[in-house]
Amino acid sequence: MMKHLKAEIVAVGTELLLGQIANTNAQWLSQQLALYGINVYNHTVVGDNPGRVEEAFQMAQKRSDIIIVTGGLGPTEDDLTREAFQAISGMEMIEDKTAMGKIELFFQNHQVEMTPNNRRQARVFKGSTVLKNNAGMAPGMKVTLAEKTWFFLPGVPREMKQITKDEIIPYLQVMIGNEQIIKSLVLKFIGIGESSLEHELKDLIQAQSNPTIAPLAQDDGVVIRLTAKGKSEKSIKQLLNNTKIQILERVGEFYFGEDDQVIEEVIVELLKKQKKKLAAAESLTGGMFTEKVVSVNGASEVCPGGIICYDTAIKRDILGVSEQIIQNKGTVSEECALEMAEKVRKLFGSDIGIGFTGVAGPTQTEGNPVGKVFISISDIHGYQKVEEYLFTGTRNSIRKRACLKGLEIIYNYLKS
C-alpha cells in the first residue's frame, strides 16, 4: 500500500484567472480525495499560455505523486493541455477511435456539420488509459510519467465529476489498498459562530486523532466535519457516533442536521409533523425567505404564500399595517415588524406568520442605520416575539443574514 500520497490539482483556463468563473472543480476534487486519505498539497491555476502551462506541469511532476488536470482538452486552439504535457513527457499523441466515433455520432444526431477542429478532442497519449466520458465528448486520460500518476479531465464540472466517479475513484481505491476505509460525517449548526463553536469544543479538537474534528463556516451556518479511519464500516460508524455524542452534549442546542441537510428542509419537515402552516411578510428580504422555504419538496403543504411589502403603501394598503404605527413608529420598528407577522398570518390563514423589516442600505431609512433589522413571529395562539439586529456588510449580505436569522428563529420556535 502506498502511503503519504501527495496530490495536486492543476486547473487550466484564463477565465479562472480573470475571475469569470470560480474554480469549483478543485474544491470538489479535494473533497473527494480527502475521503480516501489523499492529501492535496497544491491548487494551481494557469492561463491558456503554452509556456506557463508547461512550467506548471513541470513543477507538479517534481513535487506531487498524483496530479489531476482539469480543462484545456476542448477543440479550440487555446486548449493547450495535451501539447504542454507532450512537451514535458515526449509522449506521442494518437486519435482514439472510440472517442472519435462518439464525437462524429454526436454531430450526426444533432444534424450539425462537424468542423475539423473537433478531432482534437479525440487525441490521447499513446499508452495512456482512456477514461470514458459518460457526460460529454472529450475523454479523460490516465498517464504514468516517471512513477507519477497524471489524470487529465475536461473542465466542464458535470463531465469532470462523472469521469471522476466512474473512472478515477475506483483506481484510487486500488491505489490506497483495502486496508483502510475513510468516512466523513458533517454536523450542521445554526445560531452559533465558528469561533464560539471552536471555543466550546477546544479540548476535543486539540485531542483529536481519529476521528478528526474540523469546524468550517458556510453561508447557511457552521458545520463540523468528522473524518474517521478504520478497517470496517461498523467500527467507523461507532467512532463517528461516539464523537458526535460528545459534541452534541456541549453544543446540541444549535444542531439541526447533518451531511446534505439544509435548515429549510428541516423546517418544512417540522411544519409537516406539527401540521402547521407558515406565511411571511418580507420587506428588506424581498421574498428571499419564502423562496428558501418553497424550494423544498412538499412545501406547498405548509406554506400557502407570502407577500413582498417593500413599499410603505403595500405594507399599509395590501398587508394592512395600521397608518398609526407607520406614522408614529415607522416602518423599521418593532411595532411594524410585529404587525407584519400578525397580518400576514391572518391574510393567508396560516398558523405562524413571520415579518422582516429593516435597512439593507446603501443609506439610512427613517433615521435608522444601515443593517438595523427587525424580525418578528406571531402564531395563532397569541404568541408574539420580535428580535432586533444590527448586521454589517454589503446590501445583499445584510439581506442574506436577515433571511438566515429568520430561518433560525422559525426553527427554534418549532423545536421548542
Side-chain angles (χ1 to χ4, degrees):
M1 174 180 169
M2 291 180 68
K3 293 183 179 179
H4 307 301
L5 292 170
K6 293 181 180 179
E8 177 162 350
I9 297 162
V10 182
V12 180
T14 301
E15 68 278 5
L16 295 164
L17 289 175
L18 294 175
Q20 292 170 343
I21 62 170
N23 189 14
T24 57
N25 284 349
Q27 179 188 25
W28 185 85
L29 283 165
S30 289
Q31 290 168 348
Q32 301 307 305
L33 291 168
L35 293 175
Y36 297 94
I38 297 171
N39 296 315
V40 176
Y41 284 81
N42 297 94
H43 281 187
T44 301
V45 179
V46 60
D48 301 308
N49 174 281
R52 286 193 284 272
V53 177
E54 187 180 329
E55 187 182 333
F57 285 0
Q58 286 172 334
M59 183 69 75
Q61 174 69 20
K62 287 177 185 175
R63 66 189 177 192
S64 302
D65 303 301
I66 298 170
I67 303 101
I68 301 179
V69 182
T70 64
L73 300 179
T76 59
E77 289 299 320
D78 63 352
D79 290 307
L80 304 165
T81 293
R82 298 178 191 85
E83 288 74 8
F85 188 74
Q86 186 178 42
I88 75 161
S89 67
M91 288 184 175
E92 182 187 345
M93 274 192 281
I94 58 172
E95 186 174 283
D96 182 68
K97 290 181 180 178
T98 303
M100 194 63 239
K102 184 177 181 180
I103 292 166
E104 288 172 337
L105 185 62
F106 172 86
F107 283 97
Q108 287 171 19
N109 290 341
H110 288 78
Q111 298 181 331
V112 177
E113 185 180 351
M114 188 185 84
T115 54
N117 59 356
N118 279 283
R119 301 194 80 91
R120 289 168 61 93
Q121 296 186 89
R123 290 183 305 160
V124 299
F125 292 107
K126 190 175 182 179
S128 68
T129 301
V130 178
L131 308 177
K132 190 177 179 184
N133 185 348
N134 290 316
M137 286 194 287
M141 287 177 279
K142 179 177 83 70
V143 180
T144 302
L145 178 64
E147 299 183 351
K148 305 296 180 75
T149 302
W150 288 74
F151 293 101
F152 295 93
L153 299 171
V156 180
R158 183 170 56 91
E159 297 181 29
M160 179 277 299
K161 289 178 181 179
Q162 192 70 51
I163 297 174
T164 300
K165 290 173 183 175
D166 293 344
E167 303 275 6
I168 295 180
I169 286 175
Y171 177 79
L172 293 177
Q173 288 173 320
V174 173
M175 199 172 185
I176 64 170
N178 296 318
E179 296 174 30
Q180 186 168 263
I181 302 169
I182 299 172
K183 294 284 182 186
S184 289
L185 173 66
V186 175
L187 306 179
K188 295 198 165 186
F189 301 84
I190 194 166
I192 185 171
E194 183 185 11
S195 57
S196 297
L197 188 68
E198 191 168 342
H199 176 73
E200 292 294 331
L201 305 174
K202 188 176 180 181
D203 59 318
L204 292 179
I205 293 168
Q206 288 176 342
Q208 66 178 315
S209 57
N210 189 25
T212 57
I213 304 169
L216 306 164
Q218 293 189 340
D219 287 343
D220 59 349
V222 183
V223 306
I224 292 176
R225 180 179 288 114
L226 306 178
T227 305
K229 302 174 183 178
K231 292 187 177 181
S232 71
E233 295 272 357
K234 187 178 179 181
S235 65
I236 289 174
K237 190 175 180 180
Q238 190 65 52
L239 283 168
L240 292 171
N241 194 54
N242 288 347
T243 306
K244 175 184 171 180
I245 289 168
Q246 284 183 287
I247 289 169
L248 296 190
E249 280 174 353
R250 301 188 187 189
V251 289
E253 64 187 290
F254 305 105
Y255 168 81
F256 73 82
E258 56 192 54
D259 291 336
D260 294 328
Q261 276 186 303
V262 290
I263 188 67
E264 53 266 32
E265 289 175 348
V266 179
I267 287 169
V268 168
E269 195 57 41
L270 286 169
L271 287 165
K272 285 180 181 178
K273 282 181 182 175
Q274 296 176 24
K275 294 183 169 56
K276 290 177 180 174
K277 293 189 176 183
L278 168 69
E282 302 186 61
S283 184
L284 86 156
T285 47
M288 194 182 288
F289 175 88
T290 305
E291 194 280 328
K292 282 277 190 187
V293 175
V294 301
S295 69
V296 180
N297 289 336
S300 59
E301 295 175 38
V302 297
C303 184
I307 185 166
I308 299 171
C309 45
Y310 205 61
D311 189 88
T312 301
I314 304 299
K315 291 182 180 74
R316 182 187 60 230
D317 301 336
I318 306 297
L319 188 58
V321 175
S322 72
E323 181 69 31
Q324 187 179 0
I325 283 177
I326 291 170
Q327 291 297 325
N328 296 340
K329 302 295 182 180
T331 58
V332 181
S333 65
E334 179 179 324
E335 291 81 3
C336 184
L338 282 169
E339 187 136 319
M340 285 168 66
E342 187 172 338
K343 295 292 186 182
V344 80
R345 175 179 61 77
K346 291 177 179 176
L347 189 64
F348 286 92
S350 61
D351 304 276
I352 310 157
I354 186 168
F356 296 82
T357 185
V359 187
T363 56
Q364 291 188 357
T365 299
E366 299 172 358
N368 291 294
V370 172
K372 178 170 270 194
V373 172
F374 292 93
I375 305 172
S376 60
I377 189 170
S378 163
D379 78 8
I380 200 166
H381 303 295
Y383 173 85
Q384 286 188 329
K385 186 179 182 181
V386 62
E387 298 282 0
E388 180 181 342
Y389 304 96
L390 187 61
F391 297 130
T392 57
T394 64
R395 174 180 167 78
N396 277 333
S397 68
I398 289 168
R399 294 175 65 236
K400 286 176 182 176
R401 289 180 70 184
C403 178
L404 184 62
K405 189 58 73 172
L407 291 166
E408 180 191 329
I409 288 169
I410 289 293
Y411 170 67
N412 286 333
Y413 166 84
L414 292 168
K415 191 174 66 169
S416 63

